[in-house]
Amino acid sequence: MSNRNYGVLLVNLGTPDEPTPAAIRRYLAQFLSDRRVVDIPALIWKPLLHGVILPFRSSRVAKLYEEIWTEEGSPLLVYSIRQQKRLSEKLNIPVVLGMTYGSPSLHQAVDTLLQQGVDHFIILPLYPQYSSTTSAAVFDSISKILQGYRTIPHLNFIRGYARHPAYIAALKETVEQSFEKHGQPDRLILSYHGIPERLVNMGDIYPKDCLATTEFLSQVLDYPPDRIMMTYQSRFGRLPWLTPFTDKTMALLPKQGVKHVQVLCPGFASDCLETLEEIKQQNKVVFLGAGGKKFEYIPALNDNGAHISLFEQLVNNIIR
């Protein structure tokens, strides 16, 4: 420990700076240009992205962001900053926040740690379940940034924590709080962000991690496992994505006699557009419109104590 200067780099996906079409366009242009996110050949993808997708999608997405924007800013950034501050209070080493896309940038975060004399980076992407589209994209970005330095730091990269006992315990706690407040539902839906099936066929282990989290959580909850469902949300484009789809499931459940659901999104470390607008608002409308009676969204772990304790354990496992 005496000759090792550790520092933590928390990494989340990112968010637009403002809920405006121009800001959304800048953010989406960076996000959708990452080959880890979209690996369509550039000669085909770039004209489609800049000529069709960005001009039409930016205005529509801006309206969605307006619905969830807070006085402090984008929820994802607000909660990520709180996570960084609370983890800093727990650890006696520097903790900085960087976004793969948008601000604060990963480059800024790397510079900040190096300027503080950190020579052992602990990189913690806030993605419990590994995917090439998220965790690997963080690794790629940091590797590219470090190409500009003659001396690079030691790197400890936390690839994921889908099965970590503290993570499962934190999920259990928030589910139990929801059950206590709203009563046990007919179904508990665990909705994960989807990815194209093609990536799984190419070796992405993401659905295995999602299944592991679902199974581990099912084992510790005092709730029938056969009433827990795993679904995927946020699909984009026309290629086949992982199924079952969350919104399609919401439309079908009332016809099967399911009148009360609660939805948890275990893969999101912070509440964001995909949880607050897509799940809490859109999917609630779908479920109630199909004949459901009660719908509750269970908030992400955000900056609650159990979540910060998980981060602390992940870091201390490396330092010690």
Side-chain angles (χ1 to χ4, degrees), residues 36-78:
R36 285 289 193 180
V37 177
V38 181
D39 62 353
I40 297 172
L43 286 176
I44 298 173
W45 178 242
K46 284 192 174 181
L48 181 61
L49 175 63
H50 293 279
V52 179
I53 295 174
L54 293 179
F56 289 96
R57 190 171 176 83
S58 298
S59 295
R60 184 175 68 83
V61 173
K63 293 178 182 178
L64 301 180
Y65 268 104
E66 285 179 358
E67 296 181 15
I68 67 162
W69 212 259
T70 72
E71 292 183 359
E72 297 177 77
S74 168
L76 182 141
L77 180 58
V78 171

mmCIF file of all heavy atoms in Angstrom, residues 36-78:
data_model
loop_
_atom_site.group_PDB
_atom_site.id
_atom_site.type_symbol
_atom_site.label_atom_id
_atom_site.label_comp_id
_atom_site.label_asym_id
_atom_site.label_seq_id
_atom_site.Cartn_x
_atom_site.Cartn_y
_atom_site.Cartn_z
ATOM 1 N N ARG A 36 -18.432 -0.309 -30.735
ATOM 2 C CA ARG A 36 -18.917 -1.298 -29.778
ATOM 3 C C ARG A 36 -20.439 -1.258 -29.673
ATOM 4 O O ARG A 36 -21.067 -2.243 -29.301
ATOM 5 C CB ARG A 36 -18.317 -1.028 -28.396
ATOM 6 C CG ARG A 36 -16.868 -1.430 -28.246
ATOM 7 C CD ARG A 36 -16.706 -2.936 -28.215
ATOM 8 N NE ARG A 36 -15.368 -3.323 -27.769
ATOM 9 C CZ ARG A 36 -14.958 -4.573 -27.653
ATOM 10 N NH1 ARG A 36 -15.760 -5.573 -27.964
ATOM 11 N NH2 ARG A 36 -13.737 -4.850 -27.243
ATOM 12 N N VAL A 37 -21.020 -0.107 -29.978
ATOM 13 C CA VAL A 37 -22.472 0.056 -29.887
ATOM 14 C C VAL A 37 -23.141 -0.323 -31.199
ATOM 15 O O VAL A 37 -24.127 -1.065 -31.233
ATOM 16 C CB VAL A 37 -22.828 1.504 -29.494
ATOM 17 C CG1 VAL A 37 -24.337 1.713 -29.468
ATOM 18 C CG2 VAL A 37 -22.216 1.850 -28.135
ATOM 19 N N VAL A 38 -22.607 0.188 -32.297
ATOM 20 C CA VAL A 38 -23.118 -0.128 -33.635
ATOM 21 C C VAL A 38 -21.929 -0.509 -34.511
ATOM 22 O O VAL A 38 -21.076 0.335 -34.798
ATOM 23 C CB VAL A 38 -23.870 1.067 -34.257
ATOM 24 C CG1 VAL A 38 -24.393 0.690 -35.639
ATOM 25 C CG2 VAL A 38 -25.011 1.528 -33.352
ATOM 26 N N ASP A 39 -21.874 -1.760 -34.928
ATOM 27 C CA ASP A 39 -20.711 -2.214 -35.706
ATOM 28 C C ASP A 39 -21.019 -2.393 -37.191
ATOM 29 O O ASP A 39 -20.349 -3.132 -37.894
ATOM 30 C CB ASP A 39 -20.127 -3.495 -35.124
ATOM 31 C CG ASP A 39 -21.107 -4.666 -35.153
ATOM 32 O OD1 ASP A 39 -22.288 -4.444 -35.503
ATOM 33 O OD2 ASP A 39 -20.702 -5.794 -34.825
ATOM 34 N N ILE A 40 -22.036 -1.679 -37.659
ATOM 35 C CA ILE A 40 -22.324 -1.666 -39.087
ATOM 36 C C ILE A 40 -21.193 -0.934 -39.798
ATOM 37 O O ILE A 40 -20.682 0.071 -39.282
ATOM 38 C CB ILE A 40 -23.671 -0.942 -39.350
ATOM 39 C CG1 ILE A 40 -24.819 -1.708 -38.673
ATOM 40 C CG2 ILE A 40 -23.944 -0.804 -40.847
ATOM 41 C CD1 ILE A 40 -26.140 -0.982 -38.717
ATOM 42 N N PRO A 41 -20.746 -1.390 -40.972
ATOM 43 C CA PRO A 41 -19.664 -0.704 -41.690
ATOM 44 C C PRO A 41 -19.924 0.805 -41.823
ATOM 45 O O PRO A 41 -21.055 1.228 -42.123
ATOM 46 C CB PRO A 41 -19.655 -1.396 -43.049
ATOM 47 C CG PRO A 41 -20.156 -2.774 -42.759
ATOM 48 C CD PRO A 41 -21.183 -2.610 -41.684
ATOM 49 N N ALA A 42 -18.891 1.604 -41.588
ATOM 50 C CA ALA A 42 -19.032 3.060 -41.551
ATOM 51 C C ALA A 42 -19.601 3.634 -42.849
ATOM 52 O O ALA A 42 -20.366 4.608 -42.819
ATOM 53 C CB ALA A 42 -17.680 3.695 -41.244
ATOM 54 N N LEU A 43 -19.233 3.052 -43.980
ATOM 55 C CA LEU A 43 -19.727 3.573 -45.255
ATOM 56 C C LEU A 43 -21.251 3.485 -45.351
ATOM 57 O O LEU A 43 -21.896 4.290 -46.028
ATOM 58 C CB LEU A 43 -19.088 2.810 -46.418
ATOM 59 C CG LEU A 43 -17.621 3.138 -46.713
ATOM 60 C CD1 LEU A 43 -17.087 2.233 -47.820
ATOM 61 C CD2 LEU A 43 -17.461 4.604 -47.100
ATOM 62 N N ILE A 44 -21.817 2.517 -44.657
ATOM 63 C CA ILE A 44 -23.270 2.369 -44.641
ATOM 64 C C ILE A 44 -23.885 3.148 -43.493
ATOM 65 O O ILE A 44 -24.886 3.847 -43.655
ATOM 66 C CB ILE A 44 -23.651 0.872 -44.519
ATOM 67 C CG1 ILE A 44 -23.123 0.089 -45.723
ATOM 68 C CG2 ILE A 44 -25.166 0.706 -44.383
ATOM 69 C CD1 ILE A 44 -23.314 -1.419 -45.593
ATOM 70 N N TRP A 45 -23.243 3.047 -42.309
ATOM 71 C CA TRP A 45 -23.844 3.588 -41.100
ATOM 72 C C TRP A 45 -23.784 5.115 -41.019
ATOM 73 O O TRP A 45 -24.767 5.758 -40.630
ATOM 74 C CB TRP A 45 -23.182 2.973 -39.875
ATOM 75 C CG TRP A 45 -23.700 3.512 -38.567
ATOM 76 C CD1 TRP A 45 -23.005 4.189 -37.610
ATOM 77 C CD2 TRP A 45 -25.041 3.420 -38.066
ATOM 78 N NE1 TRP A 45 -23.805 4.522 -36.565
ATOM 79 C CE2 TRP A 45 -25.069 4.059 -36.818
ATOM 80 C CE3 TRP A 45 -26.219 2.858 -38.569
ATOM 81 C CZ2 TRP A 45 -26.230 4.154 -36.045
ATOM 82 C CZ3 TRP A 45 -27.387 2.960 -37.808
ATOM 83 C CH2 TRP A 45 -27.386 3.596 -36.574
ATOM 84 N N LYS A 46 -22.665 5.721 -41.357
ATOM 85 C CA LYS A 46 -22.521 7.172 -41.162
ATOM 86 C C LYS A 46 -23.544 7.989 -41.957
ATOM 87 O O LYS A 46 -24.158 8.915 -41.415
ATOM 88 C CB LYS A 46 -21.095 7.610 -41.488
ATOM 89 C CG LYS A 46 -20.100 7.254 -40.385
ATOM 90 C CD LYS A 46 -18.759 7.938 -40.593
ATOM 91 C CE LYS A 46 -17.833 7.681 -39.414
ATOM 92 N NZ LYS A 46 -16.520 8.358 -39.586
ATOM 93 N N PRO A 47 -23.763 7.700 -43.242
ATOM 94 C CA PRO A 47 -24.810 8.457 -43.955
ATOM 95 C C PRO A 47 -26.193 8.258 -43.340
ATOM 96 O O PRO A 47 -26.992 9.203 -43.263
ATOM 97 C CB PRO A 47 -24.740 7.894 -45.373
ATOM 98 C CG PRO A 47 -23.368 7.344 -45.510
ATOM 99 C CD PRO A 47 -23.028 6.809 -44.150
ATOM 100 N N LEU A 48 -26.470 7.041 -42.889
ATOM 101 C CA LEU A 48 -27.757 6.753 -42.259
ATOM 102 C C LEU A 48 -27.883 7.496 -40.931
ATOM 103 O O LEU A 48 -28.928 8.086 -40.625
ATOM 104 C CB LEU A 48 -27.896 5.249 -42.045
ATOM 105 C CG LEU A 48 -29.198 4.751 -41.409
ATOM 106 C CD1 LEU A 48 -30.390 5.102 -42.282
ATOM 107 C CD2 LEU A 48 -29.120 3.247 -41.183
ATOM 108 N N LEU A 49 -26.817 7.476 -40.146
ATOM 109 C CA LEU A 49 -26.820 8.130 -38.840
ATOM 110 C C LEU A 49 -27.023 9.634 -38.970
ATOM 111 O O LEU A 49 -27.905 10.215 -38.330
ATOM 112 C CB LEU A 49 -25.509 7.829 -38.101
ATOM 113 C CG LEU A 49 -25.303 8.551 -36.760
ATOM 114 C CD1 LEU A 49 -26.372 8.131 -35.753
ATOM 115 C CD2 LEU A 49 -23.902 8.263 -36.217
ATOM 116 N N HIS A 50 -26.196 10.272 -39.813
ATOM 117 C CA HIS A 50 -26.221 11.741 -39.901
ATOM 118 C C HIS A 50 -27.308 12.268 -40.831
ATOM 119 O O HIS A 50 -27.752 13.418 -40.670
ATOM 120 C CB HIS A 50 -24.853 12.246 -40.352
ATOM 121 C CG HIS A 50 -23.769 12.016 -39.342
ATOM 122 N ND1 HIS A 50 -23.574 12.847 -38.261
ATOM 123 C CD2 HIS A 50 -22.834 11.021 -39.235
ATOM 124 C CE1 HIS A 50 -22.568 12.387 -37.529
ATOM 125 N NE2 HIS A 50 -22.099 11.287 -38.104
ATOM 126 N N GLY A 51 -27.746 11.425 -41.757
ATOM 127 C CA GLY A 51 -28.753 11.901 -42.701
ATOM 128 C C GLY A 51 -30.181 11.589 -42.321
ATOM 129 O O GLY A 51 -31.110 12.299 -42.731
ATOM 130 N N VAL A 52 -30.363 10.528 -41.503
ATOM 131 C CA VAL A 52 -31.727 10.101 -41.177
ATOM 132 C C VAL A 52 -31.968 10.052 -39.669
ATOM 133 O O VAL A 52 -32.875 10.703 -39.147
ATOM 134 C CB VAL A 52 -32.029 8.707 -41.789
ATOM 135 C CG1 VAL A 52 -33.442 8.262 -41.422
ATOM 136 C CG2 VAL A 52 -31.843 8.735 -43.300
ATOM 137 N N ILE A 53 -31.151 9.283 -38.960
ATOM 138 C CA ILE A 53 -31.425 9.019 -37.543
ATOM 139 C C ILE A 53 -31.303 10.269 -36.680
ATOM 140 O O ILE A 53 -32.235 10.617 -35.942
ATOM 141 C CB ILE A 53 -30.492 7.905 -37.027
ATOM 142 C CG1 ILE A 53 -30.812 6.590 -37.736
ATOM 143 C CG2 ILE A 53 -30.636 7.747 -35.515
ATOM 144 C CD1 ILE A 53 -29.864 5.464 -37.409
ATOM 145 N N LEU A 54 -30.178 10.961 -36.758
ATOM 146 C CA LEU A 54 -29.976 12.129 -35.889
ATOM 147 C C LEU A 54 -30.979 13.250 -36.158
ATOM 148 O O LEU A 54 -31.542 13.820 -35.210
ATOM 149 C CB LEU A 54 -28.536 12.635 -36.008
ATOM 150 C CG LEU A 54 -27.453 11.695 -35.463
ATOM 151 C CD1 LEU A 54 -26.072 12.303 -35.654
ATOM 152 C CD2 LEU A 54 -27.693 11.399 -33.983
ATOM 153 N N PRO A 55 -31.229 13.617 -37.421
ATOM 154 C CA PRO A 55 -32.192 14.707 -37.658
ATOM 155 C C PRO A 55 -33.593 14.418 -37.123
ATOM 156 O O PRO A 55 -34.262 15.321 -36.613
ATOM 157 C CB PRO A 55 -32.203 14.831 -39.186
ATOM 158 C CG PRO A 55 -30.877 14.305 -39.619
ATOM 159 C CD PRO A 55 -30.579 13.187 -38.667
ATOM 160 N N PHE A 56 -34.028 13.175 -37.218
ATOM 161 C CA PHE A 56 -35.394 12.848 -36.800
ATOM 162 C C PHE A 56 -35.461 12.447 -35.326
ATOM 163 O O PHE A 56 -36.417 12.785 -34.629
ATOM 164 C CB PHE A 56 -35.958 11.723 -37.679
ATOM 165 C CG PHE A 56 -36.251 12.155 -39.085
ATOM 166 C CD1 PHE A 56 -35.322 11.935 -40.108
ATOM 167 C CD2 PHE A 56 -37.431 12.804 -39.406
ATOM 168 C CE1 PHE A 56 -35.580 12.342 -41.407
ATOM 169 C CE2 PHE A 56 -37.705 13.208 -40.702
ATOM 170 C CZ PHE A 56 -36.778 12.983 -41.702
ATOM 171 N N ARG A 57 -34.471 11.722 -34.863
ATOM 172 C CA ARG A 57 -34.520 11.186 -33.501
ATOM 173 C C ARG A 57 -34.230 12.244 -32.440
ATOM 174 O O ARG A 57 -34.777 12.193 -31.332
ATOM 175 C CB ARG A 57 -33.531 10.023 -33.371
ATOM 176 C CG ARG A 57 -33.667 9.224 -32.084
ATOM 177 C CD ARG A 57 -32.798 7.990 -32.153
ATOM 178 N NE ARG A 57 -32.819 7.229 -30.915
ATOM 179 C CZ ARG A 57 -33.764 6.351 -30.582
ATOM 180 N NH1 ARG A 57 -34.769 6.135 -31.395
ATOM 181 N NH2 ARG A 57 -33.706 5.691 -29.445
ATOM 182 N N SER A 58 -33.395 13.217 -32.747
ATOM 183 C CA SER A 58 -32.960 14.190 -31.746
ATOM 184 C C SER A 58 -34.115 14.984 -31.154
ATOM 185 O O SER A 58 -34.212 15.164 -29.935
ATOM 186 C CB SER A 58 -31.930 15.140 -32.352
ATOM 187 O OG SER A 58 -30.775 14.436 -32.764
ATOM 188 N N SER A 59 -35.020 15.457 -31.998
ATOM 189 C CA SER A 59 -36.158 16.252 -31.504
ATOM 190 C C SER A 59 -37.096 15.393 -30.662
ATOM 191 O O SER A 59 -37.587 15.834 -29.613
ATOM 192 C CB SER A 59 -36.923 16.864 -32.681
ATOM 193 O OG SER A 59 -36.107 17.799 -33.362
ATOM 194 N N ARG A 60 -37.329 14.164 -31.092
ATOM 195 C CA ARG A 60 -38.235 13.285 -30.350
ATOM 196 C C ARG A 60 -37.653 12.923 -28.989
ATOM 197 O O ARG A 60 -38.350 12.953 -27.974
ATOM 198 C CB ARG A 60 -38.506 12.014 -31.156
ATOM 199 C CG ARG A 60 -39.523 11.092 -30.507
ATOM 200 C CD ARG A 60 -39.851 9.912 -31.390
ATOM 201 N NE ARG A 60 -38.716 9.014 -31.535
ATOM 202 C CZ ARG A 60 -38.407 8.079 -30.643
ATOM 203 N NH1 ARG A 60 -39.112 7.948 -29.536
ATOM 204 N NH2 ARG A 60 -37.372 7.285 -30.865
ATOM 205 N N VAL A 61 -36.366 12.601 -28.962
ATOM 206 C CA VAL A 61 -35.729 12.219 -27.704
ATOM 207 C C VAL A 61 -35.636 13.422 -26.762
ATOM 208 O O VAL A 61 -35.763 13.273 -25.540
ATOM 209 C CB VAL A 61 -34.336 11.610 -27.966
ATOM 210 C CG1 VAL A 61 -33.595 11.368 -26.656
ATOM 211 C CG2 VAL A 61 -34.466 10.310 -28.739
ATOM 212 N N ALA A 62 -35.437 14.614 -27.312
ATOM 213 C CA ALA A 62 -35.370 15.822 -26.475
ATOM 214 C C ALA A 62 -36.657 16.003 -25.685
ATOM 215 O O ALA A 62 -36.635 16.375 -24.507
ATOM 216 C CB ALA A 62 -35.095 17.042 -27.339
ATOM 217 N N LYS A 63 -37.784 15.721 -26.297
ATOM 218 C CA LYS A 63 -39.066 15.849 -25.612
ATOM 219 C C LYS A 63 -39.182 14.849 -24.467
ATOM 220 O O LYS A 63 -39.766 15.145 -23.418
ATOM 221 C CB LYS A 63 -40.212 15.657 -26.613
ATOM 222 C CG LYS A 63 -40.308 16.763 -27.652
ATOM 223 C CD LYS A 63 -41.426 16.486 -28.654
ATOM 224 C CE LYS A 63 -41.486 17.580 -29.718
ATOM 225 N NZ LYS A 63 -42.533 17.305 -30.730
ATOM 226 N N LEU A 64 -38.618 13.674 -24.671
ATOM 227 C CA LEU A 64 -38.642 12.662 -23.620
ATOM 228 C C LEU A 64 -37.758 13.078 -22.448
ATOM 229 O O LEU A 64 -38.134 12.902 -21.283
ATOM 230 C CB LEU A 64 -38.182 11.310 -24.169
ATOM 231 C CG LEU A 64 -39.006 10.730 -25.326
ATOM 232 C CD1 LEU A 64 -38.434 9.380 -25.762
ATOM 233 C CD2 LEU A 64 -40.474 10.581 -24.944
ATOM 234 N N TYR A 65 -36.597 13.632 -22.756
ATOM 235 C CA TYR A 65 -35.710 14.100 -21.692
ATOM 236 C C TYR A 65 -36.343 15.244 -20.904
ATOM 237 O O TYR A 65 -36.144 15.364 -19.686
ATOM 238 C CB TYR A 65 -34.358 14.537 -22.259
ATOM 239 C CG TYR A 65 -33.328 13.437 -22.283
ATOM 240 C CD1 TYR A 65 -32.993 12.789 -23.474
ATOM 241 C CD2 TYR A 65 -32.682 13.032 -21.122
ATOM 242 C CE1 TYR A 65 -32.050 11.770 -23.502
ATOM 243 C CE2 TYR A 65 -31.734 12.021 -21.137
ATOM 244 C CZ TYR A 65 -31.419 11.395 -22.331
ATOM 245 O OH TYR A 65 -30.490 10.384 -22.343
ATOM 246 N N GLU A 66 -37.090 16.091 -21.576
ATOM 247 C CA GLU A 66 -37.762 17.194 -20.894
ATOM 248 C C GLU A 66 -38.673 16.688 -19.787
ATOM 249 O O GLU A 66 -38.827 17.329 -18.741
ATOM 250 C CB GLU A 66 -38.571 18.020 -21.897
ATOM 251 C CG GLU A 66 -37.739 18.926 -22.793
ATOM 252 C CD GLU A 66 -38.598 19.690 -23.780
ATOM 253 O OE1 GLU A 66 -39.835 19.475 -23.788
ATOM 254 O OE2 GLU A 66 -38.036 20.500 -24.537
ATOM 255 N N GLU A 67 -39.274 15.512 -19.989
ATOM 256 C CA GLU A 67 -40.215 14.969 -19.022
ATOM 257 C C GLU A 67 -39.538 14.493 -17.743
ATOM 258 O O GLU A 67 -40.176 14.454 -16.676
ATOM 259 C CB GLU A 67 -40.992 13.805 -19.649
ATOM 260 C CG GLU A 67 -41.877 14.220 -20.823
ATOM 261 C CD GLU A 67 -42.652 13.043 -21.405
ATOM 262 O OE1 GLU A 67 -42.716 12.001 -20.731
ATOM 263 O OE2 GLU A 67 -43.170 13.176 -22.525
ATOM 264 N N ILE A 68 -38.259 14.121 -17.815
ATOM 265 C CA ILE A 68 -37.581 13.578 -16.627
ATOM 266 C C ILE A 68 -36.526 14.526 -16.070
ATOM 267 O O ILE A 68 -35.954 14.254 -15.016
ATOM 268 C CB ILE A 68 -36.937 12.217 -16.939
ATOM 269 C CG1 ILE A 68 -35.778 12.386 -17.944
ATOM 270 C CG2 ILE A 68 -37.961 11.224 -17.453
ATOM 271 C CD1 ILE A 68 -34.824 11.221 -17.982
ATOM 272 N N TRP A 69 -36.245 15.623 -16.784
ATOM 273 C CA TRP A 69 -35.185 16.548 -16.362
ATOM 274 C C TRP A 69 -35.528 17.164 -15.016
ATOM 275 O O TRP A 69 -36.691 17.469 -14.733
ATOM 276 C CB TRP A 69 -34.996 17.638 -17.403
ATOM 277 C CG TRP A 69 -33.577 18.132 -17.518
ATOM 278 C CD1 TRP A 69 -33.063 19.269 -16.981
ATOM 279 C CD2 TRP A 69 -32.504 17.512 -18.241
ATOM 280 N NE1 TRP A 69 -31.736 19.393 -17.304
ATOM 281 C CE2 TRP A 69 -31.361 18.332 -18.081
ATOM 282 C CE3 TRP A 69 -32.395 16.349 -19.004
ATOM 283 C CZ2 TRP A 69 -30.129 18.034 -18.652
ATOM 284 C CZ3 TRP A 69 -31.165 16.037 -19.560
ATOM 285 C CH2 TRP A 69 -30.062 16.869 -19.394
ATOM 286 N N THR A 70 -34.536 17.341 -14.168
ATOM 287 C CA THR A 70 -34.754 17.917 -12.840
ATOM 288 C C THR A 70 -34.075 19.274 -12.739
ATOM 289 O O THR A 70 -33.329 19.687 -13.646
ATOM 290 C CB THR A 70 -34.182 17.004 -11.745
ATOM 291 O OG1 THR A 70 -32.735 17.062 -11.788
ATOM 292 C CG2 THR A 70 -34.638 15.557 -11.947
ATOM 293 N N GLU A 71 -34.306 19.962 -11.641
ATOM 294 C CA GLU A 71 -33.657 21.256 -11.419
ATOM 295 C C GLU A 71 -32.143 21.117 -11.359
ATOM 296 O O GLU A 71 -31.406 22.033 -11.715
ATOM 297 C CB GLU A 71 -34.174 21.889 -10.130
ATOM 298 C CG GLU A 71 -35.631 22.327 -10.200
ATOM 299 C CD GLU A 71 -36.090 23.027 -8.933
ATOM 300 O OE1 GLU A 71 -35.263 23.142 -7.998
ATOM 301 O OE2 GLU A 71 -37.253 23.461 -8.869
ATOM 302 N N GLU A 72 -31.673 19.947 -10.917
ATOM 303 C CA GLU A 72 -30.229 19.696 -10.833
ATOM 304 C C GLU A 72 -29.647 19.219 -12.157
ATOM 305 O O GLU A 72 -28.423 19.207 -12.325
ATOM 306 C CB GLU A 72 -29.938 18.652 -9.752
ATOM 307 C CG GLU A 72 -30.323 19.069 -8.354
ATOM 308 C CD GLU A 72 -30.079 17.955 -7.359
ATOM 309 O OE1 GLU A 72 -28.906 17.732 -6.977
ATOM 310 O OE2 GLU A 72 -31.052 17.284 -6.974
ATOM 311 N N GLY A 73 -30.514 18.815 -13.088
ATOM 312 C CA GLY A 73 -30.038 18.343 -14.380
ATOM 313 C C GLY A 73 -30.551 16.954 -14.710
ATOM 314 O O GLY A 73 -31.572 16.507 -14.195
ATOM 315 N N SER A 74 -29.816 16.262 -15.555
ATOM 316 C CA SER A 74 -30.186 14.909 -15.959
ATOM 317 C C SER A 74 -30.098 13.961 -14.769
ATOM 318 O O SER A 74 -29.093 13.953 -14.051
ATOM 319 C CB SER A 74 -29.241 14.420 -17.058
ATOM 320 O OG SER A 74 -29.402 13.043 -17.271
ATOM 321 N N PRO A 75 -31.135 13.152 -14.520
ATOM 322 C CA PRO A 75 -31.097 12.234 -13.375
ATOM 323 C C PRO A 75 -29.866 11.336 -13.352
ATOM 324 O O PRO A 75 -29.275 11.118 -12.291
ATOM 325 C CB PRO A 75 -32.384 11.413 -13.541
ATOM 326 C CG PRO A 75 -33.314 12.328 -14.261
ATOM 327 C CD PRO A 75 -32.430 13.101 -15.223
ATOM 328 N N LEU A 76 -29.463 10.811 -14.511
ATOM 329 C CA LEU A 76 -28.302 9.925 -14.530
ATOM 330 C C LEU A 76 -27.055 10.637 -14.023
ATOM 331 O O LEU A 76 -26.285 10.081 -13.236
ATOM 332 C CB LEU A 76 -28.060 9.389 -15.942
ATOM 333 C CG LEU A 76 -26.897 8.403 -16.084
ATOM 334 C CD1 LEU A 76 -27.243 7.287 -17.057
ATOM 335 C CD2 LEU A 76 -25.621 9.103 -16.543
ATOM 336 N N LEU A 77 -26.861 11.879 -14.438
ATOM 337 C CA LEU A 77 -25.686 12.631 -13.986
ATOM 338 C C LEU A 77 -25.812 12.993 -12.517
ATOM 339 O O LEU A 77 -24.842 12.901 -11.755
ATOM 340 C CB LEU A 77 -25.510 13.892 -14.829
ATOM 341 C CG LEU A 77 -24.325 14.783 -14.460
ATOM 342 C CD1 LEU A 77 -23.011 14.017 -14.556
ATOM 343 C CD2 LEU A 77 -24.287 16.022 -15.350
ATOM 344 N N VAL A 78 -27.007 13.403 -12.100
ATOM 345 C CA VAL A 78 -27.228 13.785 -10.708
ATOM 346 C C VAL A 78 -26.901 12.620 -9.782
ATOM 347 O O VAL A 78 -26.156 12.769 -8.794
ATOM 348 C CB VAL A 78 -28.681 14.246 -10.490
ATOM 349 C CG1 VAL A 78 -28.986 14.423 -9.006
ATOM 350 C CG2 VAL A 78 -28.945 15.561 -11.229
#
